[in-house]
Amino acid sequence: MPPHLRAGSRRVPGPIPTAPPPCLPDDRGRLRGQGDIGGGPGGDPGDLDLTDSSSFQRAKFWVNELQNCEEGCRIYLCGTKSDLLEEDRRKRGVDFHDVQDYADEIKAELFETSSKTGQSVDELFQKVAEDYVHFTAFQVMTEEKGIDLGQRSGAYFYSCCHH
C-alpha cells in the first residue's frame, strides 16, 4: 500500500475510492460548472481557518452545497491552523462552541488540526477510514443476496437438478 494511504501501522481494508464525489469544489471554488465562489483572502472556499471568522460562514455554505447534491453525505469539519491558537489564544476567530454546536446540528465530526504540527491529522484520517470501512461493510450486509429461481443457465442449475 502506498505510504500516503497508510495510517501509522494500520491498513485500511477494502477498496480505496479513486475519485472525489462529483459535488466537491475544485481548487478555484467552482461547483459543477458554477462560477468562482472564491475564498477571499486567507484561503480556499471550504477552508475552516480557526483564525478567520469569515471562514466559518464559507464552510457552512459548502456544507449546504454538499448536502444539497449528495444526500446523506458524511461531513467532517476540519478546522485548520490550530498551532497558531496554541501560541496565542487571542488569534481564534471562530468560537469553538459555535462550531461544535453546528457540527452536532448537522451530525458532523469536528477536528481542529494543524498541518504544521500534525495535531489531529492522523485522528481525522483514521476516523474517515474507519467510517468508510464500516459503511462499506454495512452496505455489503444489506445488499440483497440469493439465487434467481427464474434463471435457466449456469452450472449450478444444471448440476443439481438435470443430469
Side-chain angles (χ1 to χ4, degrees):
M1 177 175 276
H4 66 283
L5 295 179
R6 258 186 254 135
S9 62
R10 300 177 193 158
R11 289 179 160 239
V12 178
I16 302 295
T18 57
C23 60
L24 288 177
D26 68 14
D27 62 349
R28 291 211 208 102
R30 287 184 281 208
L31 185 65
R32 289 189 173 184
Q34 293 179 353
D36 287 348
I37 302 299
D44 297 323
D47 183 15
L48 180 52
D49 178 347
L50 299 172
T51 65
D52 177 8
S53 60
S54 65
S55 71
F56 184 39
Q57 293 306 315
R58 288 191 306 272
K60 288 169 80 171
F61 169 82
W62 284 111
V63 165
N64 187 50
E65 291 294 306
L66 284 169
Q67 290 174 328
N68 285 337
C69 70
E70 190 68 38
E71 194 172 310
C73 180
R74 298 241 352 138
I75 305 290
Y76 302 88
L77 293 175
C78 180
T80 61
K81 302 183 182 177
S82 65
D83 56 285
L84 297 177
L85 305 179
E86 295 296 321
E87 296 168 6
D88 183 359
R89 290 280 181 209
R90 293 173 294 176
K91 289 184 178 180
R92 182 179 278 278
V94 179
D95 183 70
F96 173 80
H97 298 289
D98 290 345
V99 179
Q100 185 62 62
D101 289 347
Y102 178 66
D104 292 344
E105 176 186 325
I106 63 169
K107 297 174 181 56
E109 298 284 338
L110 172 62
F111 295 86
E112 291 195 347
T113 64
S114 167
S115 59
K116 182 177 179 181
T117 66
Q119 176 188 341
S120 298
V121 173
D122 285 343
E123 292 86 352
L124 167 64
F125 281 97
Q126 186 64 40
K127 180 63 177 160
V128 171
E130 288 172 0
D131 287 354
Y132 175 76
V133 168
H134 289 118
F135 177 74
T136 303
F138 178 75
Q139 276 187 318
V140 169
M141 288 181 352
T142 58
E143 286 179 358
E144 291 184 27
K145 303 260 186 230
I147 298 172
D148 180 0
L149 296 176
Q151 183 179 357
R152 298 233 177 246
S153 63
Y156 76 89
F157 180 79
Y158 292 105
S159 65
C160 79
C161 303
H162 297 89
H163 296 285

